[in-house]
Amino acid sequence: MSFSNLGLSEKVLAAVAATGYTNPTPIQEQAIPHVLARRDVLGIAQTGTGKTAAFVLPMLTILEKGRARARMPRTLILEPTRELAAQVKESFDRYGVGQKLNVALLIGGVSFGDQDTKLTRGVDVLIATPGRLLDHTERGGLLLTGVELLVIDEADRMLDMGFIPDIERICKLVPFTRQTLFFTATMPPEIRRITETFLHNPEKVEVSRPATTVATITQLQVPSGREAHDKREILRRLLREANDLNNAIIFCNRKREVAVVHKSLQKHGFSVGALHGDMDQSARTAALDQFRKGEIPLLVASDVAARGLDIPAVSHVFNFDVPHHADDYVHRIGRTGRAGRTGTAVSIVTSLDHKSLAAIEKLIGKSIPVAEGDWTSRPAEQAGPREHRERPREGGREGSRGGRKRRRDRDAGHGGGRNPTPAIQPTVATTAPTPGTSPPAQRPPSIGRPAGPRSSHSQSEPADHSHLPAFLLRPVRARV
Ligand code: AMP
């Protein structure tokens, strides 16, 4: 099947050809003809399947005829996050090059006045997050009665974020006769209910979830104490000791935790950005841009902020927290091992996570091996390059007296005596396999340096950094 058989306009086909895509993805192949036939569509597909182009390309074809009127957008796309909205706008910019369409973005954290000015000029495509859209309608600056086509994207994520009442309100503001395209990755009962209300006799198109455990991703778990500072210490060790770490996303379950982990890693000299819903838009955009360009190799993120973002392949994913939803695990680790590349996903697991972990192992159909080593005890922190490290705190939870003693021991070259730093060569899994899952691999590949004596150095000697990942040697950037 080629794009030219789907009924798209010449202009759109030329734009697609310019991007270098030769064949439509399954969701595009199935959905585009229905959209062009002006049918409602229920698309069950995750990000990464090409679903954005599945609605953007036919919309561009449809919008070639007709003109926009002031304050009355012709089409409306609802997205759960600002980044996703911005990403959809980029798609319109890319595929709509041959057309003079007005595409406006209504997202929080951006000047209200500028958005209002844009609306008065007439908008063909309005891409919005629900809250900001309702702000505009309530102020009377926006009328949704001219919307011919409504897209509700990432509906299950909207549900998680509590946006469904807003979506219901918005649906009452658009004409009953509009065409609706509804995309969701999963179909929980609440989503099923609203599809029955919002969609008229929809065409259902479903593509299978991306392979849950890409063979090229090494998955490991590292046991940790329950305390957040235990987990942060383990995270630092993982970052320092992982093999071939080029760049990594560190996922936390809550935005507050994202901020704490981000700050802590910065304090410890890592070049790191953060992405969570409470940051202002310019900071979010800056962090994402820096990460995309490789200027910052580490990004601490929440699921909501990172969901669906088109981030280039990363070498490592770290789950600072085990996600509560098994689907999120699959989504997170899918950030690495893309396009046949190898990748590593390491989860920090506490005794509180065993239920979530069991659900994940059930979903992916295998158990996740435990990385070899003594992770629960607290061996000496290995010093990073001195210029990148803040002077170790003498007080506080992460600068305890034990820490001082360990630093002294390490400087004296006897490795702390108590807990020789473990190798991160994973052993054969020690977790009991989840019922119904396959047994663990015999010898999972390594995420760490080969086992062996750790170099030690004193404050007076120049440190040997040859074993450190390259990113640690990059200068620390100002906080965004
Ligand atoms: P999405 O699921 O919309 O987030 O798309 C995931 C990625 O697939 C994006 O980087 C798109 O640019 C890319 N993509 C979309 N359509 C195609 C296609 N037909 N062939 C190859 N890549 C595509």
Side-chain angles (χ1 to χ4, degrees), residues 188-319:
E190 180 66 358
I191 293 293
R192 193 174 300 282
R193 180 187 72 76
I194 59 171
T195 58
E196 283 157 14
T197 324
F198 297 163
L199 297 169
H200 305 300
N201 193 19
E203 291 288 350
K204 187 173 166 190
V205 295
E206 186 164 3
V207 295
S208 54
R209 71 169 75 244
T212 48
T213 44
V214 180
T216 52
I217 303 175
T218 302
Q219 297 174 66
L220 290 168
Q221 57 168 305
V222 167
S224 166
R226 289 181 185 190
E227 300 297 328
H229 60 90
D230 293 329
K231 292 167 77 173
R232 290 198 296 271
E233 187 168 300
I234 284 181
L235 176 66
R236 292 194 293 276
R237 285 176 60 198
L238 286 167
L239 290 171
R240 289 177 179 129
E241 297 172 22
N243 263 346
D244 302 326
L245 196 150
N246 182 41
N247 56 353
I249 304 180
I250 299 147
F251 282 102
C252 302
N253 288 353
R254 285 168 306 171
K255 40 198 174 192
R256 205 180 55 227
E257 201 69 60
V258 171
V260 172
V261 172
H262 175 227
K263 205 166 161 197
S264 161
L265 286 175
Q266 279 190 323
K267 275 196 166 182
H268 283 268
F270 291 88
S271 177
V272 58
L275 200 63
H276 65 76
D278 279 353
M279 290 164 61
D280 73 53
Q281 190 54 36
S282 58
R284 285 161 74 156
T285 309
L288 200 54
D289 278 354
Q290 284 186 306
F291 186 70
R292 281 197 178 118
K293 288 182 194 151
E295 292 171 1
I296 45 171
L298 301 177
L299 189 67
V300 189
S302 62
D303 289 288
V304 161
R307 179 100 176 183
L309 293 182
D310 198 14
I311 294 173
V314 295
S315 68
H316 286 65
V317 166
F318 295 99
N319 288 320

Side-chain angles (χ1 to χ4, degrees), residues 106-437:
L106 289 194
I107 54 178
V110 175
S111 147
F112 215 89
D114 291 351
Q115 293 178 345
D116 197 57
T117 311
K118 200 138 196 208
L119 291 174
T120 57
R121 288 196 205 120
V123 168
D124 297 285
V125 183
L126 185 61
I127 307 162
T129 48
R132 182 54 73 102
L133 182 86
L134 286 170
D135 285 350
H136 278 273
T137 56
E138 277 157 17
R139 291 184 188 202
L142 176 63
L143 270 176
L144 298 180
T145 48
V147 171
E148 302 156 31
L149 189 152
L150 169 69
V151 180
I152 300 168
D153 195 16
E154 299 269 335
D156 51 351
R157 191 66 12 187
M158 303 256 204
L159 175 70
D160 288 349
M161 294 171 76
F163 286 157
I164 296 301
D166 283 352
I167 302 290
E168 288 182 309
R169 280 177 64 201
I170 293 166
C171 281
K172 288 192 184 127
L173 300 173
V174 297
F176 180 73
T177 50
R178 91 259 162 186
Q179 179 183 10
T180 308
L181 314 178
F182 188 101
F183 291 91
T184 182
T186 54
M187 281 293 269
E190 180 66 358
I191 293 293
R192 193 174 300 282
R193 180 187 72 76
I194 59 171
T195 58
E196 283 157 14
T197 324
F198 297 163
L199 297 169
H200 305 300
N201 193 19
E203 291 288 350
K204 187 173 166 190
V205 295
E206 186 164 3
V207 295
S208 54
R209 71 169 75 244
T212 48
T213 44
V214 180
T216 52
I217 303 175
T218 302
Q219 297 174 66
L220 290 168
Q221 57 168 305
V222 167
S224 166
R226 289 181 185 190
E227 300 297 328
H229 60 90
D230 293 329
K231 292 167 77 173
R232 290 198 296 271
E233 187 168 300
I234 284 181
L235 176 66
R236 292 194 293 276
R237 285 176 60 198
L238 286 167
L239 290 171
R240 289 177 179 129
E241 297 172 22
N243 263 346
D244 302 326
L245 196 150
N246 182 41
N247 56 353
I249 304 180
I250 299 147
F251 282 102
C252 302
N253 288 353
R254 285 168 306 171
K255 40 198 174 192
R256 205 180 55 227
E257 201 69 60
V258 171
V260 172
V261 172
H262 175 227
K263 205 166 161 197
S264 161
L265 286 175
Q266 279 190 323
K267 275 196 166 182
H268 283 268
F270 291 88
S271 177
V272 58
L275 200 63
H276 65 76
D278 279 353
M279 290 164 61
D280 73 53
Q281 190 54 36
S282 58
R284 285 161 74 156
T285 309
L288 200 54
D289 278 354
Q290 284 186 306
F291 186 70
R292 281 197 178 118
K293 288 182 194 151
E295 292 171 1
I296 45 171
L298 301 177
L299 189 67
V300 189
S302 62
D303 289 288
V304 161
R307 179 100 176 183
L309 293 182
D310 198 14
I311 294 173
V314 295
S315 68
H316 286 65
V317 166
F318 295 99
N319 288 320
F320 182 80
D321 299 309
V322 174
H324 299 310
H325 301 293
D327 270 344
D328 282 335
Y329 177 83
V330 174
H331 187 77
R332 289 179 183 185
I333 71 162
R335 297 291 172 182
T336 185
R338 285 188 159 190
R341 295 192 187 93
T342 55
T344 305
V346 187
S347 302
I348 300 174
V349 178
T350 75
S351 57
L352 300 173
D353 297 321
H354 288 141
K355 217 169 137 196
S356 301
L357 190 69
I360 289 166
E361 292 182 329
K362 188 165 176 219
L363 178 69
I364 64 174
K366 61 180 185 182
S367 55
I368 301 170
V370 177
E372 185 183 87
D374 181 4
W375 292 93
T376 41
S377 59
R378 307 185 73 189
E381 283 251 3
Q382 186 189 8
R386 215 175 311 148
E387 68 273 26
H388 295 159
R389 290 174 60 80
E390 200 185 58
R391 207 163 55 82
R393 280 188 292 153
E394 295 301 313
R397 287 194 297 194
E398 291 176 54
S400 62
R401 253 188 295 156
R404 271 208 296 277
K405 178 179 186 311
R406 287 196 296 273
R407 273 192 295 280
R408 263 206 315 273
D409 289 337
R410 184 187 61 225
D411 291 346
H414 39 78
R418 219 165 40 121
N419 296 310
T421 309
I424 321 178
Q425 296 281 10
T427 53
V428 174
T430 55
T431 39
T434 313
T437 63

